[in-house]
Amino acid sequence: MNETKGQPVFFGGRHYLVLFVLLCLMTGLVGRALYLQIVEKEFLASQGGQRQIRTIETPAYRGAILDRYGTPLAISTPVDSVWVNPSEILQNLPALKKVTQQLSMNYSETVDTLKRKANKEFVYLKRQIEPELASRASDNVDGVYIQREYHRYYPAGEVVGHLVGFTDIDDNGIEGLEKVYDNWLKAEAGARRVIRNRKGAVIEEINQVKAAQSGKDIYSSIDMRLQYIAYRSLARAINYHAAKSGSAVLLDARTGEVLAMVNQPSYNPNQAKQKTSGNRRNRALTDVFEPGSTIKPFTFAAAIDKGLYNQKSIIDTSPGWYTVSGHPIKDYRNYGPLDLAGILRKSSNVGASRIALSMKDEELWRSFSDYGFGKPPGVIFPGESSGYFRHFSDWQKLDHAIMGYGYGVSVSITQLARAYAMIANQGQHVDVSLIRKEPGIKVENQVERHVMSSKTAKMVLEMMEEVVGPKGTAQLAAIAGYRIGGKTGTTKKSTVGGYDEDNYFSVFAGVAPISDPRLVMAVIVDEPTQNGYYGGKVAAPVFQEVMSNALRILDVKPDDIPSLRAQIADAEKGA
Amino acid sequence: MPGVYGVLLLLAFVIGSALSVIYVKHESRVLFSELRNVQKKQDQEIIEWGQLQLQNSTLATHSNVESHARKTLKMKLPKTIQLVRLP
């Protein structure tokens, strides 16, 4: 650069001076730009980012629980909560007035509340309302904001309350299927980084931090039509007999799917108040009882399978009682000599215990274990009970004898239903499931697992038909047009140190139709106090009502047309 | 001087690409805001779907249907005697 200071000013020098000054300015600018671009870059970028870049949540939905045909049993729907910043909104009272009107709230009360909370920054105006209403109310009003929340609804309410369960406020399943399949149903909200403009609107997405993972749906095995009928019938019976509680389970005999599972008392999962632990229990899976006479078909099956008896075998039950190790085993009265079907029909304890004693204790234990006593039903459910079934090495002779008619062993109603399903399913093992099984897959992969021979199963099934017949204990279970088989049970409730003489479990388990079993149902009523207490009077009518509807709804072909004809003829004669 | 033309050509390219960057950026913002709108709409549809499902299942509760059938429509189950079997 030329030295220009102090020199007389001439044209060329001026030129260079201007050039020099401009160059200085230029260098300064470029230097500053370089400084900002290189040295301060990170700091500035992060500052800019903090003002513009936001991580926002991508909402995801918890999966729905559906019945086998897709009717929703539990669904999550978005709701909005409207909240305000009191210090902001209180400066704009006309706007607040409009908002309160739209939310149908009392304006002056709201203002009072907000004034009391004026030092807070976050106050809910109204929680969990329809999103449309919320957005209309908060539209273009400064200081009124929306927060997205999800509400879990249970449209079927108490009818499936025990099965479906419910979630807590954070959408974690804490009871029922909601709990068992929580990981499957669970949604994980995603996160995205976005650039927002000065007004707060998102203008560009930078990247996705985490993809939103919506929960997957579950098709349960339940058929809501049958579930509702079962619920209604059971509730009516519990009420009519002034009973303490009750349960009923309806299974598809071929696949083991639970078509209906109901309990009383019930609760509505939509209402937090009703969720007491007593109501909440899925008794059909958690509560056990001594099956009593309903176990007799299995005592028979075990003995027939071992070739000890057949349909023609006669057992003398007179004089109606005998003693084992000093303890009397009694029948209601002296039935004399009976064949096996007769023992089942009359429900003779003497006959059943004799048959039990004809087997070695180990043999009986092994058979009963195969039938699933002492083993959980395997539906995977919180609190699922496996019942109580002692190993034969702990048995006394008396235990062995009374086991034959269902004492000294306890089962849940679902275990009992499963055992009946095995008889109905030609003696094959049945996996009980609360989840819909895909049709078709079963046939290919299923290995036949016989727990009793199909011949035995058929024989026992036909004996059970007589129980529902005109001479049996369960005539109220009969359904016109169908061959029905089943067994009643009336068990004294065990108390500390013995049995309670006045309190009973009334049980009925049955199969329909006999010629090609499709459905199995077991019903238990705990402590019926009015209008009878026998299994055939209390539980069998519930079976009849539910089963007759189920056969109609599922379009099962009647297998006893002649009886239907006879009944019609009788009715015409009477009319 | 071919060098000058070369530089001018490059300059034109640079300016052209700069302009196209501006254009593409603008385009992407427009598309993005469109995407946002569609997403918002989807969100609303999901909300509506949930509410319709709820409404449907509430109205079609089995007890509702039953009482409607029995009381309003005076329907009842046929008795056995009323059944006719088609050959």
Side-chain angles (χ1 to χ4, degrees):
Chain A
M1 203 48 71
N2 285 340
E3 186 63 42
T4 52
K5 224 182 193 174
Q7 291 294 317
V9 175
F10 59 99
F11 180 69
R14 262 205 316 196
H15 173 81
Y16 285 114
L17 178 67
V18 170
L19 208 63
F20 174 73
V21 170
L22 282 176
L23 206 69
C24 282
L25 289 172
M26 186 80 158
T27 318
L29 273 176
V30 170
R32 178 68 182 163
L34 282 176
Y35 177 74
L36 292 179
Q37 225 9 273
I38 296 165
V39 183
E40 293 249 279
K41 183 185 178 197
E42 264 173 50
F43 170 76
L44 291 173
S46 79
Q47 286 294 315
Q50 277 178 29
R51 280 158 184 78
Q52 289 189 314
I53 298 175
R54 288 283 181 280
T55 305
I56 58 172
E57 202 177 70
T58 325
Y61 308 85
R62 187 177 172 85
I65 301 179
L66 310 159
D67 92 337
R68 63 188 299 115
Y69 301 116
T71 310
L73 306 179
I75 45 176
S76 287
T77 53
V79 287
D80 281 340
S81 291
V82 180
W83 63 276
V84 294
N85 184 342
S87 59
E88 276 181 277
I89 192 70
L90 285 174
Q91 285 162 16
N92 189 359
L93 287 176
L96 179 62
K97 185 159 193 173
K98 222 181 91 206
V99 172
T100 51
Q101 271 167 2
Q102 249 158 347
L103 296 176
S104 47
M105 294 169 73
N106 186 319
Y107 170 64
S108 54
E109 270 179 33
T110 312
V111 172
D112 287 348
T113 319
L114 289 179
K115 275 184 179 154
R116 260 186 287 120
K117 294 180 179 173
N119 56 340
K120 301 236 170 59
E121 286 184 349
F122 182 101
V123 175
Y124 279 121
L125 266 191
K126 201 154 194 181
R127 291 203 72 174
Q128 305 213 335
I129 56 173
E130 276 178 43
E132 203 186 319
L133 183 64
S135 64
R136 222 186 307 137
S138 68
D139 221 14
N140 296 324
V141 182
D142 285 337
V144 178
Y145 307 95
I146 286 178
Q147 180 180 303
R148 173 56 51 86
E149 294 182 316
Y150 291 91
H151 196 270
R152 193 89 168 146
Y153 287 97
Y154 302 96
E158 61 258 7
V159 177
V160 280
H162 292 117
L163 276 173
V164 173
F166 50 88
T167 57
D168 64 7
I169 192 90
D170 299 320
D171 242 10
N172 299 309
I174 51 170
E175 195 66 88
L177 291 178
E178 294 269 36
K179 181 179 183 181
V180 180
Y181 296 99
D182 196 34
N183 285 336
W184 179 269
L185 292 164
K186 211 181 204 66
E188 263 187 62
R192 294 179 304 156
R193 294 211 308 148
V194 297
I195 298 178
R196 299 207 294 187
N197 66 9
R198 208 166 44 82
K199 289 177 192 156
V202 174
I203 50 167
E204 197 178 319
E205 184 172 321
I206 304 171
N207 61 0
Q208 195 170 43
V209 183
K210 207 172 75 180
Q213 194 86 51
S214 279
K216 285 165 275 225
D217 293 352
I218 283 184
Y219 283 89
S220 74
S221 61
I222 297 299
D223 184 332
M224 257 326 276
R225 302 169 297 177
L226 308 181
Q227 176 81 5
Y228 168 67
I229 289 167
Y231 179 83
R232 191 192 57 185
S233 297
L234 183 71
R236 202 184 282 160
I238 298 291
N239 192 24
Y240 180 65
H241 297 285
K244 213 167 103 185
S245 66
S247 303
V249 179
L250 179 68
L251 298 183
D252 183 313
R254 292 171 184 168
T255 63
E257 290 166 291
V258 177
L259 298 178
M261 181 181 272
V262 293
N263 301 283
Q264 282 288 323
S266 190
Y267 73 99
N268 187 341
N270 292 311
Q271 279 156 2
K273 269 179 268 167
Q274 295 184 10
K275 292 174 189 168
T276 62
S277 63
N279 290 351
R280 220 159 89 167
R281 220 162 60 231
N282 190 353
R283 290 164 198 268
L285 284 166
T286 61
D287 287 17
V288 296
F289 59 97
E290 286 175 297
S293 306
T294 50
I295 215 173
K296 284 174 186 162
F298 303 100
T299 313
F300 288 20
I304 294 170
D305 231 15
K306 287 171 189 61
L308 300 171
Y309 295 92
N310 59 41
Q311 307 104 303
K312 295 192 186 100
S313 312
I314 301 290
I315 294 171
D316 190 3
T317 65
S318 52
W321 66 277
Y322 76 114
T323 59
V324 174
S325 318
H327 287 271
I329 288 177
K330 286 182 279 191
D331 279 343
Y332 184 61
R333 60 184 178 84
N334 181 6
Y335 297 119
L338 289 171
D339 61 0
L340 292 191
I343 293 174
L344 209 56
R345 203 173 57 226
K346 303 280 185 203
S347 202
S348 161
N349 293 341
V350 173
S353 60
R354 287 232 160 105
I355 293 171
L357 288 173
S358 72
M359 286 172 273
K360 287 202 201 98
D361 50 4
E362 187 180 349
E363 289 175 327
L364 185 63
W365 181 85
R366 242 172 240 300
S367 292
F368 275 17
S369 287
D370 284 348
Y371 305 154
F373 298 123
K375 289 181 190 159
V379 296
I380 315 171
F381 203 83
E384 178 182 349
S385 172
S386 48
Y388 174 73
F389 184 50
R390 262 181 303 166
H391 192 257
F392 65 89
S393 58
D394 293 336
W395 293 4
Q396 307 291 322
K397 195 182 176 199
L398 181 64
D399 296 320
H400 184 176
I402 64 174
M403 191 71 68
Y405 57 95
Y407 282 88
V409 52
S410 67
V411 298
S412 68
I413 195 76
T414 308
Q415 279 179 294
L416 192 68
R418 174 178 63 174
Y420 273 78
M422 292 178 193
I423 295 183
N425 198 25
Q426 297 167 344
Q428 282 178 63
H429 182 86
V430 170
D431 284 318
V432 180
S433 171
L434 284 173
I435 301 302
R436 187 177 76 175
K437 292 181 182 171
E438 293 302 324
I441 293 172
K442 183 183 177 282
V443 186
E444 285 168 39
N445 298 346
Q446 183 80 7
V447 186
E448 288 201 357
R449 279 185 292 164
H450 276 278
V451 294
M452 64 180 84
S453 76
S454 54
K455 224 176 110 196
T456 306
K458 186 160 180 279
M459 219 184 274
V460 175
L461 207 53
E462 275 162 10
M463 288 180 199
M464 292 200 302
E465 191 178 1
E466 290 198 25
V467 176
V468 184
K471 286 184 202 157
T473 51
Q475 292 161 30
L476 292 177
I479 299 168
Y482 293 94
R483 293 172 62 200
I484 307 293
K487 184 70 193 83
T488 57
T490 311
T491 12
K492 290 170 190 159
K493 289 182 79 168
S494 58
T495 54
V496 183
Y499 285 96
D500 191 332
E501 293 294 330
D502 296 322
N503 287 318
Y504 298 89
F505 285 119
S506 302
V507 192
F508 184 82
V511 179
I514 293 287
S515 51
D516 181 20
R518 287 281 308 277
L519 298 168
V520 171
M521 185 175 177
V523 183
I524 178 166
V525 175
D526 181 8
E527 284 189 27
T529 56
Q530 284 171 17
N531 304 313
Y533 60 87
Y534 283 114
K537 284 270 184 305
V538 177
V542 177
F543 170 90
Q544 198 275 345
E545 189 177 356
V546 177
M547 191 58 95
S548 58
N549 279 297
L551 290 168
R552 177 176 57 81
I553 288 169
L554 297 179
D555 209 11
V556 176
K557 203 175 152 204
D559 61 345
D560 192 8
I561 303 285
S563 87
L564 203 57
R565 284 232 177 82
Q567 209 177 351
I568 292 173
D570 279 356
E572 275 167 353
K573 237 182 280 166
Chain B
M1 262 159 64
V4 175
Y5 291 121
V7 168
L8 281 178
L9 192 67
L10 282 178
L11 195 68
F13 279 153
V14 167
I15 290 172
S17 101
L19 285 175
S20 68
V21 164
I22 294 169
Y23 174 74
V24 168
K25 193 86 181 166
H26 171 74
E27 190 81 333
S28 95
R29 294 212 167 167
V30 169
L31 286 175
F32 183 73
S33 89
E34 209 172 295
L35 175 69
R36 292 282 299 167
N37 284 338
V38 175
Q39 279 172 338
K40 250 183 223 162
K41 194 155 176 243
Q42 183 193 27
D43 189 46
Q44 274 162 8
E45 304 283 359
I46 291 173
I47 293 170
E48 198 186 342
W49 164 235
Q51 274 159 359
L52 287 175
Q53 262 184 311
L54 270 183
Q55 201 180 353
N56 175 31
S57 49
T58 315
L59 292 176
T61 314
H62 287 260
S63 53
N64 250 356
V65 174
E66 186 181 354
S67 77
H68 192 70
R70 283 187 200 279
K71 286 177 192 148
T72 322
L73 301 174
K74 308 248 181 269
M75 293 168 85
K76 55 188 171 187
L77 273 181
K79 291 186 187 115
T80 320
I81 184 173
Q82 296 167 311
L83 293 178
V84 176
R85 183 166 181 256
L86 298 175

